[in-house]
Amino acid sequence: FGGGITGLIAIAKQLVVIGPWIRADREPTIAFALSAVLVTLAVLSVGVFTPAALFAAFLAWFGIAQIAMGVHDTVKSATAGAS
């Protein structure tokens, strides 16, 4: 999932409308927001709103966002060395 979020951000950077707005310093924030949107959609589609389910959704969001940021940092450091 984290790699997918990073891929979506890379695709969004190519769009004329929002591409110029997405800078390297905004990518982690976008990863957090995009993962929150995806987890929220998953919770809403299941329709279970118990405290345990909401805590599980929070943990899922946090884990996905951390993975997405890790993928972003890895790609950034790999491409910085290639320049």
Side-chain angles (χ1 to χ4, degrees):
F1 230 22
I5 290 173
T6 304
L8 288 174
I9 292 171
I11 292 170
K13 288 172 76 172
Q14 304 303 317
L15 298 175
V16 176
V17 178
I18 62 171
W21 181 81
I22 301 174
R23 297 188 315 253
D25 61 334
R26 291 184 177 156
E27 288 179 10
T29 304
I30 295 169
F32 270 108
L34 187 54
S35 61
V37 168
L38 293 174
V39 170
T40 301
L41 289 173
V43 168
L44 292 175
S45 70
V46 173
V48 179
F49 302 105
T50 64
L54 296 177
F55 183 66
F58 168 76
L59 291 178
W61 165 76
F62 189 74
I64 293 167
Q66 289 296 320
I67 291 169
M69 288 180 54
V71 169
H72 171 265
D73 291 343
T74 301
V75 170
K76 184 177 174 183
S77 65
T79 56
S83 299

